[in-house]
Amino acid sequence: MINWKNFDSLASYQEIKDVDRVNLVEVMTGENGAERVKNYSVPMAAGLAYNYAAKQVDEKVLAVLEKLAKEAQLTEKYKALYNGEVINTGEKRLVLHQLTRGQLGDTVTADGVDKREFYVEQQEKVAEFARKVHAGEITNAAGEKFTTVVQIGIGGSDLGPRAMYLALENWAKKNDRFKMEAKFISNVDPDDAAAVLNSIDVAHSIFVLVSKSGTTLETLTNESFVKDALKNAGLDASKHMIAVTSETSPLAKSEDYLAAFFMDDYIGGRFSSTSAVGGAVLSLAFGPEVFAQFMEGAAEEDKLSMNEDLLKNPEMLDALIGVYERNVLGYPATAILPYSQALSRFPAHLQQLDMESNGKSVNRFGEPVDYKTGPVIFGEPGTNGQHSFYQLLHQGTDIVPLQFVGFKSSQIGTDVVIQDSTSQQKLCANVVAQIVAFACGKADENRNKNFEGGRPSSIIIGEQLNPKALGALLAHFENKVMFQGFVWNVNSFDQEGVQLGKVLAKRVLAHETDGALKEYSDLLNI
């Protein structure tokens, strides 16, 4: 039987607070550090590995974290999730994003259908549509092939798919898998849509409107903006638009779209990259075979998350180390630092994934919690960040745990040798140097040049960023966030925090304002 208990009511909560702290400088210096780097690593799917040598943990801390994993019933709760129990208590919904990429357990039936079959059916419909577009069987009104796909969505309908597209764009071009350029319109700011429309040939563009409800204000506003542009170009908008929506939305059977592909209420926006939300744009951009490889990597990582052995479960281990850092060591933020330009928008996606999921101050039953929950997430790709915010990370008054991502080889496969090393070697040298510099520091009598060290980090290492590795990387962080939500006993699958602003914005637009709301509206000439 599963018990949903607050973190501070567990016996291991006090035990983890009392365990001896690890002196990171000491354990990471010299041969001690060399041994840790060799031994503190867990294999992941797609040739990736999670290395946590530079984290403030040792055998004693890990032993308590193992107790916490068992007492918090993390394996059982994950099993309940993928077997179709109502895990999203706030909205009384199942949580089924893992089911889009594989069957982990029992058959899950909802809305009178086998949900795995439903997701596969939608994937097959997307694949067939994409192949017809690529073959020139589906064309514009002039019988010409589409060359560009534009996704119109916001939040999870934009951040994840955009990050995944950018992550694979160069790989696809190098490996002859690039089919169509993809662009994204998200912000209701008209400058966003105008910038995209001015950069493309609208006559040869197909637009993907993503809205589960079919009523998302920003998305429908941008759709109207696009339709006006198509009309002004003398084009029939219905021949240039497809919808990704729910079967019950007003978009589902509208004649305004070439086709409609369906999602459901059991997949939150920030978890939707492996549904039709990501599937349509990624299959059009790279082909359905590439999207299938991406899904395969995610499915393999999901299976690893089932492992009851903490030290063989990279997502659970990453999650519990993060809980230890947040609730015991008192670190308020985590930086995501991919040493891969292709992952330039991955930190932004993880920012939504983590902060929208676990940025909660009440538990699953609506009761206040007396401990810290989700951290602040931020990040940029290296080495850009080194010349930006790393100053604070190295010598600031707050310690910020770091999550690096690095690959041995670039996506392009070609490089130049400058000063006896290639660009990729220089990139990898920087991430290695940063890990050790953060952990070990450097003593200097000049306090301005002194580095205290003791700044923890982990790194996920892979051979090359390809579709399968990207899928595994995505699933790792999705499952990490899930496990942390289970420990904190919060509902990681609703997002009531985004609703109040929407309600007030509608009042402003309807001129139903008073007090500060009216004064701010007047200042902005609304």
Side-chain angles (χ1 to χ4, degrees), residues 44-61:
M44 295 171 58
L48 300 175
Y50 170 67
N51 189 294
Y52 59 102
K55 287 291 193 180
Q56 283 175 272
V57 298
D58 59 9
E59 282 71 17
K60 291 181 181 178
V61 175

Side-chain angles (χ1 to χ4, degrees), residues 325-346:
E325 290 172 333
R326 185 77 174 105
N327 296 103
V328 179
L329 302 180
Y331 303 149
T334 297
I336 309 294
L337 307 171
Y339 275 62
S340 167
Q341 186 60 31
L343 293 173
S344 60
R345 291 299 289 167
F346 200 67

Side-chain angles (χ1 to χ4, degrees), residues 491-521:
N491 178 12
S492 301
F493 304 104
D494 66 3
Q495 56 284 331
E496 292 300 328
V498 307
Q499 301 303 324
L500 178 59
K502 289 182 179 181
V503 172
L504 294 182
K506 288 180 179 179
R507 280 180 52 189
V508 171
L509 293 172
H511 301 289
E512 298 172 354
T513 57
D514 54 18
L517 203 61
K518 182 180 188 308
E519 293 304 316
Y520 278 120
S521 300

Side-chain angles (χ1 to χ4, degrees), residues 47-284:
L48 300 175
Y50 170 67
N51 189 294
Y52 59 102
K55 287 291 193 180
Q56 283 175 272
V57 298
D58 59 9
E59 282 71 17
K60 291 181 181 178
V61 175
L62 292 171
V64 180
L65 293 181
E66 285 188 279
K67 291 182 182 179
L68 173 59
K70 289 181 171 58
E71 190 180 5
Q73 298 178 294
L74 299 189
T75 299
E76 293 89 337
K77 288 171 182 175
Y78 181 39
K79 186 174 183 179
L81 181 146
Y82 63 68
N83 281 332
E85 292 192 24
V86 178
I87 299 297
N88 178 353
T89 50
E91 297 170 314
K92 296 180 175 59
R93 292 174 180 168
L94 290 65
V95 177
L96 300 181
H97 54 276
Q98 277 99 346
L99 203 57
T100 61
R101 53 239 195 184
Q103 187 87 47
L104 292 174
D106 301 336
T107 298
V108 178
T109 302
D111 306 324
V113 300
D114 180 323
K115 295 309 295 185
R116 174 61 184 160
E117 289 183 2
F118 170 78
Y119 297 138
V120 171
E121 178 188 21
Q122 295 309 307
Q123 290 162 14
E124 290 174 347
K125 283 175 59 180
V126 167
E128 181 183 10
F129 182 85
R131 291 190 184 104
K132 287 182 177 180
V133 169
H134 299 152
E137 296 175 35
I138 295 175
T139 65
N140 67 5
E144 299 163 336
K145 291 179 73 171
F146 291 111
T147 58
T148 304
V149 53
V150 181
Q151 179 118 324
I152 307 170
I154 197 165
S157 301
D158 168 73
L159 286 166
R162 187 194 296 249
M164 303 309 127
Y165 170 78
L166 292 174
L168 295 178
E169 183 179 18
N170 278 338
W171 177 90
K173 289 176 179 177
K174 176 65 178 178
N175 291 276
D176 196 27
R177 297 298 183 92
F178 191 76
K179 306 293 186 182
M180 301 170 69
E181 183 180 27
K183 299 279 189 176
F184 297 83
I185 298 172
S186 58
N187 200 328
V188 75
D189 183 342
D191 289 343
D192 185 21
V196 171
L197 292 170
N198 289 335
S199 71
I200 63 174
D201 175 5
V202 292
H204 296 90
S205 298
I206 190 166
F207 297 85
V208 184
L209 184 78
V210 184
S211 174
K212 186 187 298 183
S213 65
T215 61
T216 310
L217 178 63
E218 296 94 336
T219 302
L220 295 184
T221 301
N222 280 325
E223 180 193 28
S224 296
F225 200 103
V226 167
K227 283 183 173 179
D228 283 349
L230 290 166
K231 181 180 179 181
N232 293 337
L235 301 167
D236 180 353
S238 67
K239 304 297 183 184
H240 288 260
M241 304 195 82
I242 63 176
V244 177
T245 189
S246 67
E247 291 180 289
T248 57
S249 93
L251 311 179
K253 294 180 174 61
S254 172
E255 294 181 357
D256 290 342
Y257 306 98
L258 278 167
F261 307 106
F262 300 129
M263 50 178 164
D264 57 35
D265 287 334
Y266 310 121
I267 300 175
R270 57 195 176 276
F271 296 96
S272 66
S273 291
T274 54
S275 74
V277 174
V281 64
L282 296 176
S283 295
L284 285 166

